[in-house]
Amino acid sequence: NEAQVWDSIAYNAPYYLMVKSAGNSRDLNGPPVGETYWRRNASGTFVSANRPAGISNNDSYDILSTVSTAKNILVVGAVNPITSVYSSSNDVVMSTFSSWGPTDDGRIKPDVVTDGVNVLSTIGAANNAYDVYTGTSMASPAAAGSLFLLQEHYSKLHAGTFMRSATLKGLAIHTANEAGLAPGPDYQYGWGLLNMQKAAAVITANNTTDLIQENVLNNGATFSLPVIASGNGTLSATICWTDVKGTV
């Protein structure tokens, strides 16, 4: 229900991209064998039961909080800081706590990852107080602030207008650095490590070496965009939209 509400808010506010922490629950893999837990019976009612032997746990996957499964938001996981310049996917090391997807219907979550380990942050103890914290609640503010700077950069180049939330989300995942052992998006790192420099460069180069387009397709309408590869790199495209709310 809550995820549906968030998707509805996003659909009705098309320039509002909600950035959500993935959560810090990767060690919540179910009760030990023989211990009590709650499950739904055939009637859908929660009943007490004992965990039987021979049943596997979720092995740290499928452990996102409910709201983190919303379609139209950007869910951010936490990785360790990169001590030098990013050079390969091996440079991005997963934290010990960041919650992993997928959603129950198989969608990629989290969407991206950022540094969430030993991050210097402001605190409310005093006007000049700081402390060091760890968690996806450190990673998601870094992403939110970074994305707002991208909106500011885009606005300065486009007469004060802003990108739709779907455009901003698409830009973030399109320019993310590859992370993890598997190529492409996965249920641990999402589309990869947020790359502000690359995202800003795409905005700057719009309509030259890069292209950002926003379109509306009515029911039954089609759209095609002929392109010619430059030969200077891999041709890649990302399509992203704000979806209607789903049925609970």
Side-chain angles (χ1 to χ4, degrees):
N1 283 308
E2 291 184 11
Q4 186 200 54
V5 169
W6 284 41
D7 279 331
S8 181
I9 292 171
Y11 187 80
N12 287 287
Y15 291 90
Y16 177 35
L17 178 60
M18 287 173 271
V19 178
K20 171 74 171 64
S21 57
N24 312 314
S25 303
R26 204 160 76 241
D27 60 344
L28 299 182
N29 292 287
V33 171
E35 288 203 6
T36 302
Y37 71 103
W38 290 86
R39 66 174 179 85
R40 292 186 187 272
N41 62 15
S43 300
T45 303
F46 276 107
V47 296
S48 177
N50 292 323
R51 179 168 179 168
I55 185 172
S56 62
N57 62 27
N58 56 0
D59 194 28
S60 299
Y61 289 95
D62 190 21
I63 210 163
L64 293 165
S65 62
T66 303
V67 180
S68 298
T69 65
K71 297 179 289 185
N72 297 327
I73 67 176
L74 188 82
V75 178
V76 182
V79 294
N80 286 280
I82 296 178
T83 56
S84 59
V85 177
Y86 173 93
S87 59
S88 72
S89 60
N90 294 328
D91 295 330
V92 188
V93 179
M94 176 57 60
S95 67
T96 59
F97 53 83
S98 188
S99 295
W100 293 346
T103 63
D104 286 349
D105 55 357
R107 285 176 290 114
I108 296 291
K109 291 288 178 180
D111 298 293
V112 293
V113 293
T114 61
D115 177 16
V117 177
N118 295 329
V119 177
L120 181 67
S121 176
T122 57
I123 60 173
N127 290 339
N128 59 349
Y130 293 85
D131 206 343
V132 175
Y133 286 95
T134 290
T136 57
S137 289
M138 290 288 98
S140 61
S146 298
L147 295 175
F148 193 82
L149 290 174
L150 292 179
Q151 282 282 37
E152 183 182 35
H153 181 49
Y154 182 91
S155 177
K156 288 181 177 180
L157 298 178
H158 293 84
T161 62
F162 293 95
M163 291 177 281
R164 288 177 174 265
S165 60
T167 308
L168 182 58
K169 181 179 179 181
L171 178 64
I173 65 177
H174 181 85
T175 56
N177 284 337
E178 176 64 36
L181 300 178
D186 58 61
Y187 299 137
Q188 298 180 0
Y189 299 87
W191 273 267
L193 180 70
L194 189 66
N195 187 328
M196 275 287 289
Q197 185 177 22
K198 188 176 179 181
V202 169
I203 294 173
T204 302
N206 189 19
N207 292 319
T208 56
T209 56
D210 295 274
L211 181 63
I212 300 173
Q213 282 201 350
E214 295 181 332
N215 292 294
V216 176
L217 291 183
N218 297 314
N219 290 339
T222 61
F223 172 78
S224 61
L225 177 68
V227 296
I228 300 174
S230 66
N232 295 324
T234 302
L235 178 64
S236 61
T238 298
I239 183 171
C240 187
W241 66 92
T242 301
D243 206 8
V244 296
K245 64 182 181 182
T247 301
V248 175

